[in-house]
Amino acid sequence: MIFPKATISEIIGLLEAVNDSGGIEDVARLAADFDLEIDEILPSIDGAELLGLAVVREGNIELTTDARKLLDAGIRDRKKIIKDKVASVDMIRELIDRLRSEEEYKISKEEALRFIQKKISTMDIDSYFRIIINWTRYAGLIGYNSDSEEICLLQKER
Amino acid sequence: MLLEIRNVSKTYESESNKILALDNINFTVEDNDFICIVGPSGCGKSTLLRIIVGLEKPNSGEVFFRGEAIEPDNPKVAMVFQNFAIFPWLTVQENIELVLESLNRPDEKKIACKYIRAVGLDGFEKVYPRELSGGMKQRVGFARALAVEPVLLCMDEPFSSLDALTSQNLKDELLMLWADASMPPDAVIMVTHNVEEAVYMANRIIILSPRPGKVMADMRIELKRPRNRKDPEFYRWVDKVYSLIV
């Protein structure tokens, strides 16, 4: 699979900009508005699509109903919406299931990297790890302890 | 009146010459002002902000906070920096608790938690800055500044180290906090070189001239919130500010 290298802040920033254009915008114009190359804005667009917050059709990006809900919400409620969206991404759901099957709901970073490597074939596994942890921490799903180099489930119900 | 900047001038001296950075600056700040100070680079706007918070002394003139000369450790004034200025060896929570400790707040853990949640950093409490994206680092900067529950929040180019999309997101979230009457501060002074950003954020813009910085204009931005950057009315204001700078 392809996993987008964009942080949650970048994705929400993108949605806010599309919202200013009435909820639909030409991708090339959007990139130009931010002084970005198309390939610099694509990860955020892919991220918004993967989270079900935008659809891309014929060169236009359009907000979904959930994206509008997210943008109308305050900072606390945005986090709740993002949590549901992140939890429904296949790879993250599988990672959560894997953590649930562990005695203490945690695995080593090394194991996590192997897990990610199986899903995303990339030489740059560390930066994908950072992005996945950025998403799951923001969503309150999975944390990472850099002292013990372990990732763990943040909510411990099975 | 919250703050008064009265006849403030600042000169930098080197061995061979004297450079006048700020020339007789005067303005006042009231409750509910969200002021952006804009001007070309080198106009002394960051110097002015440092004088306002008491980190630098003017050569002449004074700054009064609620009628008294400003002190550098005034707990009612907080600052957010362009480069975040967070301690890399402390976690997110420890960075915020540290400023509360210096104020001897007995309930520092509770207050730190409140502002960590307010800026959407819950889940990141035990994380070290090196593991954070730029956007998350600046959220720590906001949480730390708000945690002292300041009356006046000063920000020096708080979005300019961030990528364009993250910066967009943080501006909107900061405005949400500003719109929330239960949250500090009562007034904001933000320095920026970005005119669109100033029109998007501020209800008042102070324009400084090229060096030496003088107040060229002090205008209210009469645009409803939430503002839309694609709105023709928004662009009329942007043009108006540009016309005064160029």
Side-chain angles (χ1 to χ4, degrees):
Chain A
M1 79 172 282
I2 295 169
F3 198 88
K5 257 192 237 172
T7 65
I8 294 292
S9 294
E10 287 172 295
I11 294 168
I12 299 177
L14 173 97
L15 300 175
E16 282 159 348
V18 177
N19 196 41
D20 272 356
S21 302
I24 180 164
E25 180 59 294
D26 180 75
V27 169
R29 194 175 305 147
L30 192 61
D33 276 353
F34 281 102
D35 229 353
L36 294 173
E37 299 295 330
I38 297 269
D39 60 352
E40 291 174 303
I41 207 168
L42 278 181
S44 304
I45 292 175
D46 291 342
E49 265 203 305
L50 184 63
L51 293 174
L53 296 168
V55 283
V56 178
R57 260 194 301 258
E58 294 164 1
N60 288 319
I61 173 170
E62 190 171 356
L63 299 182
T64 62
T65 314
D66 285 345
R68 289 174 193 276
K69 261 188 226 159
L70 176 106
L71 294 174
D72 286 340
I75 296 171
R76 308 281 331 132
D77 290 329
R78 283 182 173 194
K79 257 185 114 95
K80 285 185 205 147
I81 296 171
I82 290 288
K83 179 183 178 180
D84 293 341
K85 293 294 183 185
V86 170
S88 64
V89 172
D90 285 346
M91 185 174 62
I92 291 171
R93 202 176 46 228
E94 286 169 35
L95 190 56
I96 291 172
D97 287 344
R98 169 73 199 278
L99 287 165
R100 278 201 186 117
S101 73
E102 296 291 326
E103 188 105 333
E104 291 181 64
Y105 309 95
K106 61 188 178 192
I107 57 174
S108 67
K109 179 184 178 182
E110 217 173 298
E111 274 181 82
L113 291 180
R114 274 202 298 273
F115 178 91
I116 297 166
Q117 184 86 63
K118 274 189 215 155
K119 308 282 172 190
I120 311 168
S121 52
T122 171
M123 300 296 285
D124 186 19
I125 198 72
D126 260 316
S127 61
Y128 283 99
F129 177 78
R130 276 200 298 277
I131 285 292
I132 290 166
I133 293 298
N134 171 281
W135 287 30
T136 59
R137 260 180 187 151
Y138 184 92
L141 293 166
I142 301 171
Y144 170 59
N145 181 333
S146 62
D147 289 332
S148 63
E149 298 209 323
E150 287 169 325
I151 68 165
C152 67
L153 216 52
L154 292 174
Q155 287 176 328
K156 305 281 164 77
E157 76 273 12
R158 285 196 198 246
Chain B
M1 188 197 307
L2 193 60
L3 190 82
E4 183 185 5
I5 290 97
R6 196 190 292 167
N7 305 326
V8 163
S9 294
K10 178 80 182 175
T11 306
Y12 288 105
E13 283 183 51
S14 65
E15 279 176 16
S16 52
N17 58 352
K18 271 185 172 182
I19 295 166
L20 182 60
L22 292 169
D23 185 9
N24 197 30
I25 305 281
N26 285 284
F27 63 90
T28 59
V29 180
E30 308 290 339
D31 279 354
N32 299 317
D33 270 344
F34 192 127
I35 296 177
C36 279
I37 300 176
V38 297
S41 72
C43 73
K45 49 192 189 299
S46 292
T47 303
L48 177 58
L49 199 64
R50 292 174 62 79
I51 291 173
I52 287 171
V53 299
L55 287 173
E56 242 178 272
K57 289 258 175 239
N59 294 80
S60 60
E62 280 167 294
V63 177
F64 297 96
F65 180 80
R66 288 181 165 159
E68 291 190 23
I70 192 95
E71 296 288 336
D73 54 356
N74 185 335
K76 295 290 163 202
V77 181
M79 181 96 167
V80 172
F81 300 89
Q82 179 177 354
N83 295 317
F84 324 126
I86 47 183
F87 295 112
W89 60 87
L90 297 178
T91 62
V92 166
Q93 182 153 359
E94 287 164 351
N95 261 285
I96 295 162
E97 283 174 3
L98 186 70
V99 290
L100 295 169
E101 263 172 47
S102 66
L103 297 177
N104 287 322
R105 295 285 301 251
D107 43 357
E108 64 193 38
K109 285 223 173 338
K110 209 171 128 196
I111 299 173
C113 263
K114 176 182 170 185
Y115 289 97
I116 283 172
R117 284 171 62 84
V119 301
L121 269 174
D122 35 330
F124 292 80
E125 292 88 343
K126 291 177 185 154
V127 175
Y128 289 95
R130 63 172 181 270
E131 300 172 56
L132 297 175
S133 63
M136 288 299 169
K137 281 184 189 147
Q138 195 54 299
R139 280 190 167 87
V140 180
F142 290 149
R144 181 186 51 192
L146 293 174
V148 304
E149 304 188 325
V151 173
L152 175 66
L153 176 65
C154 291
M155 301 193 285
D156 189 3
E157 301 270 11
F159 307 108
S160 61
S161 299
L162 306 174
D163 66 85
L165 294 172
T166 301
S167 147
Q168 174 75 57
N169 174 221
L170 256 65
K171 281 175 212 170
D172 277 14
E173 294 194 357
L174 186 74
L175 287 174
M176 283 186 202
L177 294 169
W178 172 246
D180 182 346
S182 70
M183 295 291 279
D186 295 346
V188 174
I189 303 178
M190 177 174 126
V191 160
T192 176
H193 65 281
N194 183 329
V195 170
E196 284 183 33
E197 182 173 292
V199 173
Y200 188 66
M201 307 288 290
N203 54 23
R204 194 175 147 202
I205 293 182
I206 290 174
I207 301 170
L208 294 189
S209 63
R211 195 165 61 210
K214 288 184 202 175
V215 175
M216 292 208 304
D218 183 344
M219 61 203 288
R220 295 229 150 249
I221 305 296
E222 313 280 357
L223 266 172
K224 279 195 312 239
R225 294 186 194 270
R227 293 175 183 169
N228 183 331
R229 284 152 291 230
K230 294 280 176 175
D231 180 0
E233 185 66 14
F234 179 84
Y235 267 88
R236 274 195 281 280
W237 281 97
V238 171
D239 284 342
K240 197 169 167 182
V241 176
Y242 267 120
S243 71
L244 292 166
I245 290 180
V246 178

